[in-house]
Amino acid sequence: MDITMEKSRFTDETRIPRVHPQKFALWLGIACLIMTFAGLTSAYIVRKGAGNWVEFMMPTQFIISAVLMLLSSATIHWAYLSFKNDKLNAYRLALGTTLILSVGFLVSQFLGWQKLQEIGVYLSGNPSGSFVYVISYLHFAHVLGGLLFILIAFLKSWIVFRNPANFLIYRTDLNKSIRIELLATYWHFVDALWIYLLIFFIVS
């Protein structure tokens, strides 16, 4: 009886969770962001129906930024695959390319906001412009946060992984190796989110 109970206790304590805690936390955060942006776009529609709404074309710079985000989503996936297949040089190149494309996205967003001001659309002006600024600013902030982690991963690939042995050790530690997967997942999300928001602004 005691042996059976001890075996059962040992099995319960060593059982591997089906979902990694960090992955669960990420998906929970993504769910919260989805609800936040869904609420903002819903408020956009409601406010538009109330009248006093100025229509304007979304600047081309925002479309360019969407293309850059799509490309960066592809390169972060390339980085993830390179990491999983122990291709350190390709991993570094993919992260570096993602950084460049991401900075290009941020620059395109700034240029898009400048273009809005040139056509007379301001943050404190008509509600139609105010919504575009607030929503795009909020998305920009989340991209900036993700970009910081990409930069950290890129620097680590050159500093910590200068010795290839450290790279292999890192790869075998689940709690560490899962970080690139989480980063890629988050980046795919902010990419898809901007595509959705841009289409929403154009067709609504």
Side-chain angles (χ1 to χ4, degrees), residues 3-188:
I3 295 177
T4 303
M5 291 179 61
E6 183 67 21
K7 182 178 180 181
S8 176
R9 184 182 67 82
F10 178 79
T11 302
D12 291 339
E13 291 179 350
T14 58
R15 183 178 296 136
I16 300 176
R18 294 182 179 181
V19 180
H20 193 281
Q22 294 181 28
K23 187 178 293 187
F24 176 78
L26 174 64
W27 282 110
L28 183 61
I30 287 176
C32 292
L33 288 176
I34 290 174
M35 289 188 290
T36 298
F37 281 94
L40 287 171
T41 51
S42 296
Y44 178 101
I45 295 174
V46 172
R47 181 60 187 83
K48 182 178 181 180
N52 186 28
W53 193 265
V54 175
E55 299 285 352
F56 58 89
M57 295 288 292
M58 290 295 290
T60 305
Q61 287 80 0
F62 286 132
I63 299 176
I64 294 174
S65 69
V67 173
L68 292 172
M69 277 300 289
L70 281 172
L71 292 174
S72 70
S73 190
T75 56
I76 195 69
H77 186 66
W78 174 27
Y80 168 71
L81 293 178
S82 299
F83 180 87
K84 298 293 288 185
N85 293 314
D86 298 324
K87 297 179 179 179
L88 180 55
N89 289 333
Y91 174 64
R92 289 168 173 166
L93 179 59
L95 285 177
T97 305
T98 303
L99 277 173
I100 294 172
L101 291 170
S102 303
V103 171
F105 168 82
L106 300 182
V107 172
S108 293
Q109 292 294 92
F110 273 113
L111 294 176
W113 294 327
Q114 289 181 350
K115 189 64 177 180
L116 286 177
Q117 294 177 5
E118 289 177 8
I119 63 176
V121 179
Y122 300 98
L123 173 63
S124 59
N126 189 269
S128 61
S130 299
F131 268 103
V132 171
Y133 277 106
V134 170
I135 293 174
S136 60
Y137 282 166
L138 186 58
H139 177 268
F140 183 93
H142 287 88
V143 170
L144 197 59
L147 182 59
L148 176 61
F149 284 100
I150 294 176
L151 177 60
I152 292 173
F154 178 70
L155 294 176
K156 183 181 293 184
S157 72
W158 286 99
I159 300 173
V160 178
F161 300 155
R162 182 180 302 174
N163 182 351
N166 291 337
F167 179 65
L168 295 177
I169 294 173
Y170 192 94
R171 274 274 293 109
T172 57
D173 187 334
L174 177 61
N175 290 323
K176 292 181 178 179
S177 63
I178 198 174
R179 293 172 186 172
I180 182 61
E181 179 183 351
L182 299 178
L183 181 57
T185 300
Y186 177 80
W187 201 251
H188 292 324

